[in-house]
Amino acid sequence: MNDQLRRAPAPDLLPRFVQIVGDKYAVTDAQTLAPHLIEGRGLYQGRSSLMLRPGSTQEVAAILKLANETKTAVVPQGGNTGLVGGQIPFDGELILSLTRLDKIREVDAASNTITVEAGVVLQRAQQAAEAAGRLFPLSLGSEGSCTIGGNLSTNAGGTGALAYGIARELVVGVEVVLADGRVMHLLRKLKKDNTGYDLRHIFVGAEGTLGIITAAVLKLFPRPRAVETAFIGLPSPAAAVKLLNLAQARVSGTVTGFELMARGIIDFALKHGHGNRDPLAGQHAWYVLLEVSSQQDKGLREEVEHFLADAVEQGLVEDATIAASLDQTKAFWHMRHTLTEVQKPEGGSIKHDVSVPVAAVPDFIAEASAAVIALIPGSRPVPFGHVGDGNIHFNVSQPIGADKDAFLARWVEVNNVVDKIVLKYHGSISAEHGIGTLKRDSLVKVKDPVALALMRDFKKMLDPNGILNPGKVL
Ligand code: FAD
Ligand code: 2HG
Ligand code: ZN
């Protein structure tokens, strides 16, 4: 890191930073700052005495220009829902909040694009698309508060990635403010544009270390005319992988959701999640939430019924129920989206957001579960996730009655055991949440050294003074 970098802005610079956004949008009081210094699970506590809330791309540019000239560090923040600590100012850095950049600039139904500013909350983008008869398919449990800027900067995945792609695949164009305050205008709606290097993707997944995304053009899709949602009990992850392949081969619609959940996490959801009820009468070791979408308005339900009946005959499915109403569909998804918060009342949870080839998911889960329980007897793996993307949230809850801090103190030790198994299957230690602070030390152990060197070169070229989100990712 650059030696001359100031983590906290120098006191004499404060008025100059404040002047850019005006007093009203420069937050200095501790009470308003407090929720921006801590992340949802309380794993990280940061500190800062200034948060700037620019209202335009020009204001973002002026802030970065001054920060760069004065070598002042800046931590970008959207909805503060990130799970790897990337949005937290750890050393008094200035917080650059993008939430006032909240305009939906255009919905172009004919081109199937939506142009939004970085601070637009994901759910608002979804609703704007829906109002124009289109679908914006990115969907996360945090969609009521995360922002498009955060989604692109973390290259978020979520439950729709199986059919529609991860955030990167949904980006058509971007507007980015560079570390020195220059604005790169690539807000095109073009699918085809071979005018040299495709620079937009450098900023997607960069977690605010290479530039500030201020706006984006995103892909829209036709809204499906029929959607069926089933909650399925099954014997094993191996059955789930077979079921996924069967669904993709057999149903004429598209499999737009396929979420795997262990019974353990369902227990947490029923115990701690507001409004959750078990959709099936008996208990099963594993569950899948299946969503199938079609452009045909008739016949999908019958197809899903036949497909599930076949799957029962083949021993892949033990029991299943297809949502009979929109309310029931919502209840199934509500339960899925509560899975992050229902882990909290069970004490400490050591997380692994990992991916392996889809075919390796069953062996990975079996081996990682056995290894973690051998390391900490009584610990409770509660894996769930986007199995169609090979992305498992291999989360481990503390043994019942154990000391939370003592359990969490073993975070790295547990990670090492699980990551070793991930690597054995040629997987990734960060599937969709990013690196942030949490996985910075692990990244250097697993990334190809040439790729890592190139990442450092990019960082030096785009941010020579190291002002953008220092200490994150690299
Ligand atoms: P923040 O948390 O504010 O920031 C995230 C990172 O992006 C930080 O490094 C920050 O510095 C940077 N950043 C933010 N805005 C900008 C910008 N405009 N320009 C440059 N850098 C910026 N993630 C998934 O991938 N899939 C899921 O299914 C999923 N489900 C979740 C469910 C719950 C309940 C919760 C709490 C989180 C979940 N997440 C999931 C993680 C999180 O919601 C995503 O990472 C989300 O994309 C972060 O958006 P945000 O606006 O909150 O960003
Ligand atoms: C999800 O899929 C999120 O619900 C969060 O990515 C997962 O809590 C988690 O680890
Ligand atoms: Zn996820």
Side-chain angles (χ1 to χ4, degrees), residues 1-7 71 464-465:
M1 204 200 26
N2 193 308
D3 287 342
Q4 291 167 323
L5 180 75
R6 282 173 192 281
R7 285 296 183 121
K71 297 190 169 57
N465 292 324

Side-chain angles (χ1 to χ4, degrees), residues 247-255 292-296 298-300 303-304:
Q248 286 171 327
R250 279 281 310 278
V251 181
S252 63
T254 307
V255 179
V292 183
S293 305
S294 171
Q295 295 311 124
Q296 306 293 328
K298 290 203 177 71
L300 186 63
E303 262 194 68
V304 173

